[in-house]
Amino acid sequence: MGANEFAKLPHIGESLKRKEDERFLTGVGQYTDDINQANQKYAAFVRSPHAHAAIKSVDTSAADKMSGVVRVFTGKDTEGKMGGLPCGWLISNPDGSPMKEPPHPILAHAKVRYVGDHVAMVVADTPQQAKDAAEAVVVDYEPLGAVIDMRTAKTAPALHDEAPDNHCYKWTLGDKAAVDAAFANAAHVTKLDITNNRLVPNAMEPRAANASYNRATDEYVLYVANQNPHVERLLMTAFVLQLPEHKVRVIAPDVGGGFGSKIFLYAEDVALTWGAKQLNCAIKWTAERSESFLSDAHGRDHISHAEMAMDKDGKFLAMRVHTDANLGAYLSTFASSVPTILYGTLLAGQYATPQIYVEVDGWFTSTAPVDAYRGAGRPEATYLVERLVTRCAWDMGLSQDEIRKRNFITSFPYQTPVALQYDIGDYNACMDQAQELADVKGYDARKAASEAKGLKRGIGYSSYIEACGLAPSNIAGALGARAGLFECGEVRVHPTGSVTVFTGSHSHGQGHETTFAQLVAARLGLDPNQVDVVHGDTGRVPFGMGTYGSRSLSVGGTAIMKALDKIEAKAKKIAAHLMEASDADIDFANGEFSVKGTDKKIPFAQVALTAYVPHNYPLDKLEPGLNETAFYDPTNFTFPAGTYICEVEVDPATGVVRVDRFSAVDDFGVIINPMIVEGQVHGGLVQGMGQALMEHGVYDAETGQLLTGSFMDYTMPRAADFPEFKLGHVCTPCTHNPIGSKGCGEAGAIGSPPAVINAVLDALQPLGVTELDMPATPSRVWTAIQAARAGAAA
């Protein structure tokens, strides 16, 4: 079945209410913190107050004697008994040498390397007893110099012996000689220096884990708030604890948001699992918000210089980019891939730029590890490209839309100069619809009205593209991935015709239980309420790669579709036997099997029952049952794209920026549930605009203390901060999966930051402000205005 046929099936394109919301709204969802096990104790972690220090001694004697304390584990207890946290992607330097990959101990041995680093784990009868005892552990630290600024990391104190200059890798992509030649012959070159600010993920549910061990079976069970439990189990068993994988069951129940920060294997998960066997009890830990700020993997944090070479008409000839990427104190699970494979390959954007060259330097600093956060490399690439394109327009005296239209890719498939091949798209259609939604024709009148109020109005464009549905495994492996990127789906048809789907994709807010049910119901002619979706349990679900990178529907959904293909093929044979026909003459549509050219037909439910009553068909030809499993390894990425247009008002007297209008048009291919997709876009837009205007993870340059370690200091966006969003959709179905879908979960966070900042700069240019980094806070905007006025006066 092709994408065009699939899109016409019943339930596809219907905004069905989410099946999972009833339990969430009535308070009966089950999250990791809701789970309690027999003989359960509680853990608290002793965390480093220093950004970089030698551990001279750890004295647990006072804590050991406190009421309720079961055991205090330190780095000495774990050293030599387990491996460190692994990195899942190997990046190579231009000369072929591997990146520096220092050990990442579960509990710090001789050194701590960021504020919040794990020093000890206290296990006690109650959470409060564990916390009290953790405060009684005395650690003698010898402070060493903090390494905060990437620009000075090379000469700063070394965090790891394996990286004496704090340099992890240099990564390059593109033809440097061809790019340099294009720049030499360019009519104009635009240059831009930008910073992509550090973000601290803040899902509603903090990270949590609950581990137990069964001596009778020598088996472990770990409940954990995680986005990909199979990968968590694989990394923990194979690389850290060296356990047989089948002896560890990882269950990720309801998860209250992840945004990438719950993809990774964390030290707490390993420590609890290992400790459960040592103490022969279950151990539970739930992070407090302050712990989350310190120890969850952060996002973004790039410093970049970009240049675009153009001809006299503003046509792009070549681009070159240098980026310094902050990796934090250790390499997190996918940290190395985010500023490289997921960033450099997207620098073509939507534009037919003939040559591109990018080089990235990854640096260790004494800050929390940096890894994937909603978009993972794609927002960083889009922010750089779309800021640069708008700057090119202003330099060339062109409008923001005109320079984009002059350089849009219009012929597909299109091979970019940075490895990716886009299969399909219609970027002009997205632009046209966005301009109509945004009422660009009425902008001048709105600007005049703002001026009359003493405000400055600006308009900003962003035409993003995303590579998602990560694929294929063989190419990813050649680029350094240490795991496959396939997905698995099992479809189990019950005798009564109802269906249970087991998927390796994990749902933590995306609505899979509804969308996947719609997909299966559409194929089999069922009501979506007859389809249950099971995920998140390695003991029940075949091996899968989890949820991240907007891959669930395009990869996980396709695996389910392939299993349904097998179901349909077998069901046709059963139906053919029942109707005394050849299975080649059987059609299946709208839940009924029919014989071509006749009025013979039987419902799907009858065939399902027959599959479990084997005397109704020859057992020598077909096995009983109607269960099928399929794996899907995509042949290419999918490429969602769109154009976002933002209008802001800036108050020059206070620096306050107000987003007045925001229009977003996306091409996600075939959409199964428009309501869920709109919710995903809304959430992404708010996160992206939060980065553009408010959010910023800041460390003290001298001490390495996280200055934005609570909601008192780290501003999170709220609904009242934004207008009603106007959304539109263009559909060019993906050409290489049967659903035709492209992924939608990250788009809003990818496309919105540059649209907002371009709008702010458009408003501020008449005041002499030509550049501004995120976040555009009132203080930063007001300071820039004052500096521009002082410069003009001078």
Short mmCIF file of all heavy atoms in Angstrom, two decimals, residues 530-588:
data_model
loop_
_atom_site.label_atom_id
_atom_site.label_comp_id
_atom_site.label_asym_id
_atom_site.label_seq_id
_atom_site.Cartn_x
_atom_site.Cartn_y
_atom_site.Cartn_z
N GLN A 530 -10.77 -0.69 19.37
CA GLN A 530 -10.48 -2.13 19.38
C GLN A 530 -8.99 -2.40 19.34
O GLN A 530 -8.57 -3.57 19.32
CB GLN A 530 -11.14 -2.81 18.17
CG GLN A 530 -12.67 -2.82 18.19
CD GLN A 530 -13.22 -3.45 16.94
OE1 GLN A 530 -13.47 -2.79 15.93
NE2 GLN A 530 -13.41 -4.77 16.98
N VAL A 531 -8.17 -1.35 19.33
CA VAL A 531 -6.72 -1.51 19.21
C VAL A 531 -6.04 -0.94 20.45
O VAL A 531 -6.22 0.22 20.79
CB VAL A 531 -6.18 -0.78 17.96
CG1 VAL A 531 -4.68 -1.00 17.83
CG2 VAL A 531 -6.91 -1.26 16.70
N ASP A 532 -5.29 -1.78 21.14
CA ASP A 532 -4.48 -1.35 22.27
C ASP A 532 -3.02 -1.30 21.84
O ASP A 532 -2.56 -2.13 21.03
CB ASP A 532 -4.62 -2.29 23.45
CG ASP A 532 -5.94 -2.10 24.19
OD1 ASP A 532 -6.53 -1.01 24.07
OD2 ASP A 532 -6.39 -3.04 24.86
N VAL A 533 -2.27 -0.35 22.40
CA VAL A 533 -0.86 -0.18 22.07
C VAL A 533 -0.04 -0.35 23.34
O VAL A 533 -0.30 0.28 24.36
CB VAL A 533 -0.60 1.21 21.45
CG1 VAL A 533 0.89 1.40 21.18
CG2 VAL A 533 -1.40 1.37 20.16
N VAL A 534 0.95 -1.24 23.27
CA VAL A 534 1.83 -1.53 24.41
C VAL A 534 3.23 -1.08 24.05
O VAL A 534 3.74 -1.37 22.96
CB VAL A 534 1.83 -3.03 24.74
CG1 VAL A 534 2.81 -3.34 25.87
CG2 VAL A 534 0.42 -3.49 25.11
N HIS A 535 3.87 -0.38 24.97
CA HIS A 535 5.23 0.12 24.73
C HIS A 535 5.96 0.23 26.05
O HIS A 535 5.36 0.15 27.13
CB HIS A 535 5.19 1.49 24.04
CG HIS A 535 4.48 2.53 24.85
ND1 HIS A 535 5.12 3.34 25.76
CD2 HIS A 535 3.17 2.88 24.92
CE1 HIS A 535 4.24 4.16 26.34
NE2 HIS A 535 3.04 3.89 25.85
N GLY A 536 7.26 0.41 26.00
CA GLY A 536 8.03 0.78 27.17
C GLY A 536 8.43 -0.35 28.09
O GLY A 536 8.92 -0.08 29.19
N ASP A 537 8.29 -1.61 27.70
CA ASP A 537 8.61 -2.72 28.59
C ASP A 537 9.45 -3.73 27.82
O ASP A 537 8.95 -4.43 26.93
CB ASP A 537 7.31 -3.36 29.09
CG ASP A 537 7.55 -4.46 30.12
OD1 ASP A 537 8.70 -4.92 30.25
OD2 ASP A 537 6.58 -4.84 30.79
N THR A 538 10.72 -3.85 28.18
CA THR A 538 11.59 -4.78 27.45
C THR A 538 11.19 -6.24 27.68
O THR A 538 11.62 -7.11 26.92
CB THR A 538 13.06 -4.59 27.86
OG1 THR A 538 13.21 -4.91 29.26
CG2 THR A 538 13.52 -3.17 27.62
N GLY A 539 10.37 -6.50 28.70
CA GLY A 539 9.90 -7.85 28.94
C GLY A 539 8.72 -8.23 28.08
O GLY A 539 8.37 -9.42 27.99
N ARG A 540 8.09 -7.27 27.44
CA ARG A 540 6.89 -7.55 26.63
C ARG A 540 7.06 -7.18 25.16
O ARG A 540 6.39 -7.75 24.30
CB ARG A 540 5.68 -6.79 27.20
CG ARG A 540 5.32 -7.14 28.63
CD ARG A 540 4.09 -6.37 29.08
NE ARG A 540 2.89 -6.76 28.34
CZ ARG A 540 1.74 -6.10 28.39
NH1 ARG A 540 1.64 -5.00 29.14
NH2 ARG A 540 0.70 -6.51 27.70
N VAL A 541 7.92 -6.22 24.91
CA VAL A 541 8.03 -5.65 23.56
C VAL A 541 9.30 -6.14 22.89
O VAL A 541 10.36 -6.16 23.52
CB VAL A 541 8.03 -4.11 23.64
CG1 VAL A 541 8.23 -3.49 22.27
CG2 VAL A 541 6.72 -3.61 24.26
N PRO A 542 9.24 -6.53 21.60
CA PRO A 542 10.47 -6.88 20.90
C PRO A 542 11.45 -5.72 20.88
O PRO A 542 11.06 -4.56 21.05
CB PRO A 542 9.98 -7.20 19.48
CG PRO A 542 8.54 -7.50 19.61
CD PRO A 542 8.06 -6.66 20.76
N PHE A 543 12.72 -6.01 20.65
CA PHE A 543 13.76 -4.99 20.72
C PHE A 543 13.44 -3.82 19.79
O PHE A 543 13.20 -4.00 18.60
CB PHE A 543 15.12 -5.58 20.35
CG PHE A 543 16.27 -4.68 20.68
CD1 PHE A 543 16.99 -4.87 21.84
CD2 PHE A 543 16.62 -3.62 19.85
CE1 PHE A 543 18.05 -4.03 22.17
CE2 PHE A 543 17.67 -2.78 20.16
CZ PHE A 543 18.39 -2.99 21.33
N GLY A 544 13.48 -2.62 20.35
CA GLY A 544 13.25 -1.42 19.56
C GLY A 544 14.14 -0.30 20.03
O GLY A 544 14.76 -0.38 21.10
N MET A 545 14.20 0.76 19.25
CA MET A 545 15.18 1.82 19.50
C MET A 545 14.60 3.05 20.18
O MET A 545 15.29 4.05 20.38
CB MET A 545 15.85 2.24 18.18
CG MET A 545 16.66 1.13 17.53
SD MET A 545 17.91 0.41 18.62
CE MET A 545 18.98 1.82 18.82
N GLY A 546 13.31 3.02 20.54
CA GLY A 546 12.77 4.11 21.34
C GLY A 546 12.32 5.31 20.53
O GLY A 546 12.18 5.27 19.32
N THR A 547 12.10 6.41 21.27
CA THR A 547 11.51 7.60 20.67
C THR A 547 12.42 8.80 20.84
O THR A 547 12.77 9.17 21.96
CB THR A 547 10.14 7.88 21.30
OG1 THR A 547 9.26 6.80 20.97
CG2 THR A 547 9.54 9.18 20.79
N TYR A 548 12.78 9.38 19.73
CA TYR A 548 13.59 10.60 19.66
C TYR A 548 13.70 10.94 18.18
O TYR A 548 13.40 10.12 17.30
CB TYR A 548 15.00 10.38 20.26
CG TYR A 548 15.65 9.11 19.80
CD1 TYR A 548 16.37 9.05 18.61
CD2 TYR A 548 15.48 7.92 20.52
CE1 TYR A 548 16.92 7.88 18.17
CE2 TYR A 548 16.03 6.75 20.08
CZ TYR A 548 16.76 6.72 18.91
OH TYR A 548 17.29 5.54 18.45
N GLY A 549 14.11 12.14 17.87
CA GLY A 549 14.35 12.49 16.47
C GLY A 549 13.13 12.39 15.58
O GLY A 549 13.26 12.10 14.39
N SER A 550 11.93 12.63 16.13
CA SER A 550 10.69 12.61 15.34
C SER A 550 10.62 11.36 14.46
O SER A 550 10.35 11.43 13.27
CB SER A 550 10.60 13.88 14.48
OG SER A 550 10.57 15.03 15.28
N ARG A 551 10.85 10.20 15.08
CA ARG A 551 10.95 8.95 14.32
C ARG A 551 9.79 8.00 14.55
O ARG A 551 9.67 6.98 13.85
CB ARG A 551 12.26 8.24 14.67
CG ARG A 551 12.26 7.63 16.07
CD ARG A 551 13.65 7.16 16.51
NE ARG A 551 14.23 6.19 15.64
CZ ARG A 551 14.07 4.87 15.76
NH1 ARG A 551 13.29 4.39 16.72
NH2 ARG A 551 14.65 4.04 14.93
N SER A 552 8.91 8.29 15.49
CA SER A 552 7.95 7.27 15.92
C SER A 552 7.03 6.80 14.81
O SER A 552 6.88 5.60 14.58
CB SER A 552 7.12 7.80 17.10
OG SER A 552 7.94 8.07 18.20
N LEU A 553 6.39 7.73 14.10
CA LEU A 553 5.44 7.33 13.08
C LEU A 553 6.14 6.86 11.81
O LEU A 553 5.81 5.82 11.24
CB LEU A 553 4.48 8.48 12.77
CG LEU A 553 3.34 8.13 11.80
CD1 LEU A 553 2.50 6.98 12.35
CD2 LEU A 553 2.46 9.34 11.55
N SER A 554 7.14 7.62 11.36
CA SER A 554 7.78 7.28 10.09
C SER A 554 8.58 5.99 10.18
O SER A 554 8.68 5.24 9.20
CB SER A 554 8.68 8.42 9.63
OG SER A 554 9.69 8.69 10.58
N VAL A 555 9.16 5.69 11.34
CA VAL A 555 9.96 4.47 11.50
C VAL A 555 9.17 3.41 12.27
O VAL A 555 8.95 2.31 11.78
CB VAL A 555 11.30 4.78 12.20
CG1 VAL A 555 12.15 3.51 12.26
CG2 VAL A 555 12.06 5.87 11.47
N GLY A 556 8.72 3.75 13.49
CA GLY A 556 7.94 2.80 14.27
C GLY A 556 6.62 2.46 13.60
O GLY A 556 6.19 1.30 13.60
N GLY A 557 5.95 3.47 13.04
CA GLY A 557 4.69 3.22 12.35
C GLY A 557 4.87 2.37 11.11
O GLY A 557 4.01 1.52 10.80
N THR A 558 5.97 2.55 10.42
CA THR A 558 6.22 1.73 9.23
C THR A 558 6.50 0.28 9.61
O THR A 558 6.09 -0.65 8.90
CB THR A 558 7.39 2.31 8.42
OG1 THR A 558 7.04 3.63 7.97
CG2 THR A 558 7.70 1.45 7.21
N ALA A 559 7.19 0.06 10.73
CA ALA A 559 7.39 -1.31 11.20
C ALA A 559 6.03 -1.98 11.46
O ALA A 559 5.82 -3.15 11.11
CB ALA A 559 8.24 -1.31 12.47
N ILE A 560 5.10 -1.24 12.05
CA ILE A 560 3.75 -1.77 12.28
C ILE A 560 3.05 -2.05 10.96
O ILE A 560 2.39 -3.08 10.79
CB ILE A 560 2.93 -0.78 13.14
CG1 ILE A 560 3.54 -0.68 14.55
CG2 ILE A 560 1.47 -1.19 13.21
CD1 ILE A 560 2.96 0.44 15.39
N MET A 561 3.21 -1.12 10.00
CA MET A 561 2.60 -1.34 8.68
C MET A 561 3.14 -2.60 8.02
O MET A 561 2.39 -3.36 7.38
CB MET A 561 2.87 -0.13 7.79
CG MET A 561 2.05 1.10 8.13
SD MET A 561 0.35 0.99 7.55
CE MET A 561 0.56 1.40 5.81
N LYS A 562 4.42 -2.87 8.18
CA LYS A 562 5.00 -4.07 7.57
C LYS A 562 4.48 -5.33 8.26
O LYS A 562 4.26 -6.37 7.62
CB LYS A 562 6.52 -3.99 7.63
CG LYS A 562 7.11 -2.98 6.65
CD LYS A 562 8.61 -3.02 6.62
CE LYS A 562 9.15 -2.17 5.47
NZ LYS A 562 8.79 -2.70 4.14
N ALA A 563 4.26 -5.24 9.57
CA ALA A 563 3.63 -6.37 10.26
C ALA A 563 2.20 -6.56 9.77
O ALA A 563 1.72 -7.70 9.61
CB ALA A 563 3.68 -6.14 11.77
N LEU A 564 1.50 -5.45 9.54
CA LEU A 564 0.13 -5.54 9.01
C LEU A 564 0.09 -6.13 7.61
O LEU A 564 -0.88 -6.82 7.24
CB LEU A 564 -0.52 -4.14 9.02
CG LEU A 564 -0.87 -3.58 10.40
CD1 LEU A 564 -1.24 -2.11 10.29
CD2 LEU A 564 -2.02 -4.37 11.03
N ASP A 565 1.12 -5.86 6.82
CA ASP A 565 1.21 -6.49 5.50
C ASP A 565 1.21 -8.01 5.64
O ASP A 565 0.54 -8.73 4.88
CB ASP A 565 2.48 -6.04 4.77
CG ASP A 565 2.42 -4.59 4.33
OD1 ASP A 565 1.32 -4.02 4.25
OD2 ASP A 565 3.50 -4.01 4.06
N LYS A 566 1.98 -8.50 6.60
CA LYS A 566 2.04 -9.95 6.83
C LYS A 566 0.70 -10.48 7.34
O LYS A 566 0.26 -11.56 6.94
CB LYS A 566 3.15 -10.27 7.83
CG LYS A 566 4.56 -9.92 7.37
CD LYS A 566 5.58 -10.27 8.46
CE LYS A 566 6.99 -9.91 8.06
NZ LYS A 566 7.98 -10.25 9.12
N ILE A 567 0.07 -9.72 8.24
CA ILE A 567 -1.25 -10.10 8.75
C ILE A 567 -2.23 -10.24 7.59
O ILE A 567 -2.99 -11.22 7.48
CB ILE A 567 -1.76 -9.06 9.76
CG1 ILE A 567 -0.90 -9.05 11.03
CG2 ILE A 567 -3.24 -9.27 10.07
CD1 ILE A 567 -1.16 -10.19 11.98
N GLU A 568 -2.24 -9.22 6.74
CA GLU A 568 -3.19 -9.22 5.63
C GLU A 568 -2.93 -10.38 4.68
O GLU A 568 -3.88 -11.04 4.19
CB GLU A 568 -3.11 -7.89 4.87
CG GLU A 568 -4.11 -7.77 3.74
CD GLU A 568 -4.09 -6.41 3.06
OE1 GLU A 568 -3.83 -5.39 3.75
OE2 GLU A 568 -4.33 -6.35 1.83
N ALA A 569 -1.65 -10.65 4.41
CA ALA A 569 -1.33 -11.75 3.48
C ALA A 569 -1.82 -13.09 4.02
O ALA A 569 -2.40 -13.91 3.29
CB ALA A 569 0.17 -11.79 3.22
N LYS A 570 -1.60 -13.34 5.32
CA LYS A 570 -2.05 -14.60 5.90
C LYS A 570 -3.58 -14.65 5.98
O LYS A 570 -4.20 -15.69 5.71
CB LYS A 570 -1.43 -14.80 7.28
CG LYS A 570 -1.81 -16.13 7.91
CD LYS A 570 -1.10 -16.36 9.23
CE LYS A 570 -1.48 -17.70 9.83
NZ LYS A 570 -0.79 -17.98 11.11
N ALA A 571 -4.18 -13.52 6.38
CA ALA A 571 -5.63 -13.47 6.50
C ALA A 571 -6.31 -13.73 5.16
O ALA A 571 -7.38 -14.35 5.10
CB ALA A 571 -6.05 -12.13 7.07
N LYS A 572 -5.70 -13.26 4.08
CA LYS A 572 -6.27 -13.51 2.75
C LYS A 572 -6.29 -15.00 2.42
O LYS A 572 -7.23 -15.50 1.77
CB LYS A 572 -5.49 -12.74 1.69
CG LYS A 572 -5.83 -11.27 1.60
CD LYS A 572 -5.06 -10.59 0.47
CE LYS A 572 -5.49 -9.14 0.30
NZ LYS A 572 -4.73 -8.46 -0.79
N LYS A 573 -5.28 -15.72 2.88
CA LYS A 573 -5.25 -17.17 2.62
C LYS A 573 -6.36 -17.86 3.39
O LYS A 573 -7.00 -18.79 2.88
CB LYS A 573 -3.89 -17.72 3.01
CG LYS A 573 -2.74 -17.24 2.12
CD LYS A 573 -1.41 -17.81 2.57
CE LYS A 573 -0.29 -17.30 1.65
NZ LYS A 573 1.03 -17.83 2.06
N ILE A 574 -6.57 -17.41 4.63
CA ILE A 574 -7.67 -18.00 5.42
C ILE A 574 -9.01 -17.66 4.78
O ILE A 574 -9.90 -18.53 4.64
CB ILE A 574 -7.61 -17.50 6.87
CG1 ILE A 574 -6.30 -17.94 7.53
CG2 ILE A 574 -8.81 -17.98 7.67
CD1 ILE A 574 -6.06 -17.32 8.89
N ALA A 575 -9.18 -16.41 4.37
CA ALA A 575 -10.43 -15.99 3.74
C ALA A 575 -10.66 -16.75 2.44
O ALA A 575 -11.80 -17.15 2.13
CB ALA A 575 -10.39 -14.48 3.49
N ALA A 576 -9.59 -16.97 1.69
CA ALA A 576 -9.71 -17.71 0.43
C ALA A 576 -10.20 -19.12 0.69
O ALA A 576 -11.06 -19.65 -0.04
CB ALA A 576 -8.37 -17.72 -0.30
N HIS A 577 -9.68 -19.75 1.73
CA HIS A 577 -10.13 -21.10 2.07
C HIS A 577 -11.60 -21.11 2.46
O HIS A 577 -12.37 -21.99 2.02
CB HIS A 577 -9.27 -21.66 3.21
CG HIS A 577 -9.72 -23.00 3.68
ND1 HIS A 577 -9.49 -24.16 2.97
CD2 HIS A 577 -10.42 -23.36 4.80
CE1 HIS A 577 -10.02 -25.19 3.62
NE2 HIS A 577 -10.59 -24.73 4.74
N LEU A 578 -12.01 -20.12 3.26
CA LEU A 578 -13.40 -20.07 3.71
C LEU A 578 -14.36 -19.82 2.55
O LEU A 578 -15.50 -20.32 2.56
CB LEU A 578 -13.57 -18.99 4.77
CG LEU A 578 -12.88 -19.23 6.12
CD1 LEU A 578 -13.03 -18.00 7.02
CD2 LEU A 578 -13.45 -20.47 6.79
N MET A 579 -13.92 -19.06 1.56
CA MET A 579 -14.81 -18.72 0.44
C MET A 579 -14.51 -19.54 -0.80
O MET A 579 -15.01 -19.23 -1.89
CB MET A 579 -14.71 -17.22 0.14
CG MET A 579 -15.28 -16.34 1.25
SD MET A 579 -15.36 -14.57 0.84
CE MET A 579 -13.63 -14.11 0.94
N GLU A 580 -13.67 -20.59 -0.62
CA GLU A 580 -13.35 -21.51 -1.70
C GLU A 580 -12.87 -20.77 -2.94
O GLU A 580 -13.40 -20.91 -4.04
CB GLU A 580 -14.56 -22.39 -2.03
CG GLU A 580 -15.02 -23.23 -0.86
CD GLU A 580 -16.23 -24.08 -1.20
OE1 GLU A 580 -17.03 -23.65 -2.06
OE2 GLU A 580 -16.37 -25.16 -0.62
N ALA A 581 -11.83 -19.94 -2.73
CA ALA A 581 -11.26 -19.17 -3.82
C ALA A 581 -9.75 -19.18 -3.69
O ALA A 581 -9.18 -19.66 -2.71
CB ALA A 581 -11.79 -17.73 -3.79
N SER A 582 -9.09 -18.66 -4.69
CA SER A 582 -7.64 -18.49 -4.63
C SER A 582 -7.31 -17.21 -3.87
O SER A 582 -8.01 -16.21 -4.03
CB SER A 582 -7.06 -18.42 -6.05
OG SER A 582 -5.72 -17.96 -6.01
N ASP A 583 -6.26 -17.27 -3.05
CA ASP A 583 -5.93 -16.07 -2.30
C ASP A 583 -5.53 -14.92 -3.22
O ASP A 583 -5.60 -13.76 -2.84
CB ASP A 583 -4.84 -16.34 -1.25
CG ASP A 583 -3.59 -16.93 -1.85
OD1 ASP A 583 -3.65 -18.05 -2.37
OD2 ASP A 583 -2.54 -16.27 -1.78
N ALA A 584 -5.12 -15.22 -4.45
CA ALA A 584 -4.80 -14.16 -5.41
C ALA A 584 -6.04 -13.40 -5.85
O ALA A 584 -5.94 -12.27 -6.36
CB ALA A 584 -4.10 -14.76 -6.63
N ASP A 585 -7.21 -14.00 -5.63
CA ASP A 585 -8.46 -13.37 -6.03
C ASP A 585 -9.15 -12.64 -4.86
O ASP A 585 -10.29 -12.18 -5.00
CB ASP A 585 -9.43 -14.41 -6.61
CG ASP A 585 -8.94 -14.97 -7.93
OD1 ASP A 585 -8.28 -14.22 -8.67
OD2 ASP A 585 -9.20 -16.17 -8.20
N ILE A 586 -8.47 -12.55 -3.73
CA ILE A 586 -9.08 -11.95 -2.55
C ILE A 586 -8.67 -10.48 -2.44
O ILE A 586 -7.49 -10.12 -2.51
CB ILE A 586 -8.66 -12.69 -1.26
CG1 ILE A 586 -9.08 -14.16 -1.34
CG2 ILE A 586 -9.26 -12.02 -0.03
CD1 ILE A 586 -10.57 -14.38 -1.42
N ASP A 587 -9.67 -9.63 -2.27
CA ASP A 587 -9.45 -8.22 -1.96
C ASP A 587 -9.78 -7.98 -0.49
O ASP A 587 -10.61 -8.68 0.10
CB ASP A 587 -10.37 -7.33 -2.82
CG ASP A 587 -9.86 -7.20 -4.25
OD1 ASP A 587 -8.63 -7.32 -4.46
OD2 ASP A 587 -10.69 -6.97 -5.15
N PHE A 588 -9.13 -6.97 0.06
CA PHE A 588 -9.41 -6.62 1.46
C PHE A 588 -9.55 -5.11 1.55
O PHE A 588 -8.64 -4.37 1.17
CB PHE A 588 -8.28 -7.10 2.37
CG PHE A 588 -8.49 -6.74 3.82
CD1 PHE A 588 -9.61 -7.16 4.51
CD2 PHE A 588 -7.56 -5.96 4.49
CE1 PHE A 588 -9.81 -6.84 5.84
CE2 PHE A 588 -7.73 -5.63 5.82
CZ PHE A 588 -8.86 -6.06 6.51
#
